[in-house]
Amino acid sequence: MMNFMKLAAEATVSGMEKKYGGPFGATLVRNGEVIVSVSNTMMKDKDPSAHAEMIAVREACKKLDTMDLSDCEIYATCEPCPMCVGAIMWAGIKTVYYSNTREDAAKHGFSDMHLRHYLDGSDQTPLSMIHTGSCPECDELWQTFDQISKKSE
């Protein structure tokens, strides 16, 4: 386990040296085999979603040619944020090992508590989510999806 975490830390240092992003990395493992070991690339890509866990999931899905990573686990240098947890869960990953905590990250200027507070309902100020009600074109998307799916079977 520690070797996988060490790989994540090494990828992080490499990424920081290249100015790809901050102090976050992840190693995605399947049956004891390293699929990818990455740093975050937020600065390089100018992409707020380019967290290490997101990059690991994206690259692993491409490499393995599947969206189902249920037989994989992630080793992250820091506790994943809510966005990353969402991607990890969508990919079917059931185990995440992490070293540093959200509190550790916050001490160094990387707090995700605004996201956590929004999601737990304790703070609704950062984002207005407005349900527009029914839109015929949007409502038809479900039927169109079903029709397209049946054609490809």
Side-chain angles (χ1 to χ4, degrees), residues 44-135:
K44 178 186 119 196
D45 296 336
K46 308 216 178 357
D47 178 356
S49 72
H51 292 197
E53 299 89 343
M54 299 289 283
I55 300 298
V57 167
R58 289 175 189 155
E59 288 189 13
C61 286
K62 286 178 192 172
K63 187 172 182 177
L64 298 173
D65 195 29
T66 183
M67 291 189 296
D68 179 6
L69 302 179
S70 59
D71 57 351
C72 298
E73 44 196 30
I74 287 189
Y75 295 79
T77 60
C78 192
E79 182 177 1
C81 77
M83 173 184 67
C84 293
V85 169
I88 289 165
M89 291 175 71
W90 276 110
I93 297 168
K94 295 176 183 54
T95 305
V96 176
Y97 299 95
Y98 64 92
S99 180
N100 296 304
T101 66
R102 65 181 88 165
E103 292 82 11
D104 296 326
K107 286 181 208 170
H108 296 279
F110 296 96
S111 178
D112 64 3
M113 293 312 293
H114 62 297
L115 299 173
R116 294 178 188 279
H117 291 309
Y118 177 78
L119 292 171
D120 73 13
S122 64
D123 183 1
Q124 295 296 312
T125 57
L127 178 65
S128 295
M129 294 284 285
I130 302 165
H131 179 224
T132 62
S134 185
C135 163

Side-chain angles (χ1 to χ4, degrees), residues 3-4 7 26-37 63:
N3 285 340
F4 299 138
L7 289 173
T27 301
L28 193 138
V29 176
R30 178 195 215 184
N31 300 321
E33 177 188 344
V34 173
I35 304 302
V36 295
S37 192
K63 187 172 182 177

